[in-house]
Amino acid sequence: MFRALADATRRDIVTRVMNEGISVSRLATSYEMSFAAVQKHVAVLQSAGLVSKERNGREQIVRGNLSSIHRIQHLLSHFEEVWKQRALRMGDVLNDDD
Amino acid sequence: MFRALADATRRDIVTRVMNEGISVSRLATSYEMSFAAVQKHVAVLQSAGLVSKERNGREQIVRGNLSSIHRIQHLLSHFEEVWKQRALRMGDVLNDDD
DNA sequence: ATAATATACAACCAAATGGTTGTATGTGAA
DNA sequence: TTCACATACAACCATTTGGTTGTATATTAT
């Protein structure tokens, strides 16, 4: 999941489709790469559970996956807290050091 | 930076060295890979600014980089907020949808 | 029915990634 | 000084990644 978010294009896609569902082809027009490349990015995001697709006529609408987004938020807060605490303790260590 | 954190070993290293400075060789004993591999991971983290090294005799002590960690926390909170808001708006869209 | 659009997917490619071993260098210990 | 340890780094390798083009299929429009 970290890996799926490690690509700038994919982060951008996730951010955009969280707003509103956007078709793959419409997404594709926003990037300087082929349709197929964008489609692959969407596939990566989908298999990481970050977005889902819903057929609408001949289009495939991509939307951010609410539950997985909540899961990420949770993960991030957790990381944040652990790190904050470690950082505090690290301050102590620095004082205590030598 | 997302990329540097996309590897599990590196996330683990970051988490550990935030506690206390640990030498590269001591870190290396914790993983099922060569010393050189661990050393490379540390180098990646270092060039992403997530950790810094400090010479102590013949050892090189790796510590989490407080300021960059704060930066990450900031970034993560920002992402979190943006996503939260989008998610809320998305809830609206879903109600409004169809 | 035919054409055009939107997508999926395979095959391919270059570059990046994550690992290895080997070698060189700096530092502490005997 | 000599040995051992800790590190740095180069060269190499396999796999993954991010991109391409080409082809097939589904759906809408004419």
Side-chain angles (χ1 to χ4, degrees):
Chain A
M1 223 201 44
F2 264 94
R3 191 153 254 127
L5 290 173
D7 181 86
T9 302
R10 287 199 291 265
R11 280 195 302 276
D12 193 64
I13 291 177
V14 169
T15 302
R16 290 188 58 200
V17 300
M18 220 142 9
N19 247 333
E20 49 177 349
I22 306 185
S23 74
V24 179
S25 52
R26 185 138 146 265
L27 276 174
T29 63
S30 313
Y31 305 100
E32 292 273 291
M33 63 185 76
S34 68
F35 170 83
V38 173
Q39 195 225 329
K40 269 206 208 173
H41 280 307
V42 171
V44 170
L45 289 171
Q46 185 179 20
S47 72
L50 292 172
V51 307
S52 50
K53 287 186 295 188
E54 188 191 335
R55 177 137 246 133
N56 180 3
R58 59 183 151 185
E59 293 185 335
Q60 200 84 257
I61 306 299
V62 183
R63 345 186 100 90
N65 196 337
L66 253 197
S67 64
S68 78
I69 287 162
H70 281 307
R71 204 153 40 87
I72 300 172
Q73 286 174 8
H74 224 257
L75 256 175
L76 294 189
S77 324
H78 176 257
F79 252 91
E80 231 189 306
E81 274 191 37
V82 171
W83 288 0
K84 219 168 266 172
Q85 292 194 5
R86 305 262 166 139
L88 289 177
R89 240 187 296 168
M90 205 182 125
D92 290 353
V93 169
L94 283 180
N95 277 344
D96 202 57
D97 197 6
D98 193 5
Chain B
M1 222 201 44
F2 263 93
R3 192 154 252 126
L5 290 173
D7 180 86
T9 303
R10 285 198 292 266
R11 281 196 302 276
D12 193 65
I13 291 178
V14 169
T15 302
R16 291 188 57 199
V17 300
M18 221 142 10
N19 247 335
E20 49 177 348
I22 306 184
S23 74
V24 180
S25 52
R26 185 140 145 262
L27 275 175
T29 62
S30 312
Y31 305 100
E32 292 273 289
M33 63 185 76
S34 68
F35 171 83
V38 174
Q39 196 225 327
K40 269 204 207 175
H41 280 307
V42 171
V44 170
L45 289 171
Q46 185 179 19
S47 70
L50 293 171
V51 307
S52 52
K53 288 186 295 187
E54 187 191 335
R55 177 136 248 133
N56 179 3
R58 59 183 152 182
E59 293 183 335
Q60 199 83 257
I61 305 299
V62 183
R63 346 186 99 91
N65 197 337
L66 253 197
S67 63
S68 79
I69 286 161
H70 281 306
R71 203 154 39 88
I72 300 172
Q73 286 173 8
H74 224 259
L75 256 175
L76 295 189
S77 325
H78 175 258
F79 252 90
E80 231 189 305
E81 276 191 36
V82 171
W83 288 0
K84 219 167 267 174
Q85 293 194 5
R86 305 262 164 139
L88 288 177
R89 239 187 296 169
M90 204 182 124
D92 291 354
V93 170
L94 283 180
N95 277 345
D96 202 55
D97 197 6
D98 188 11

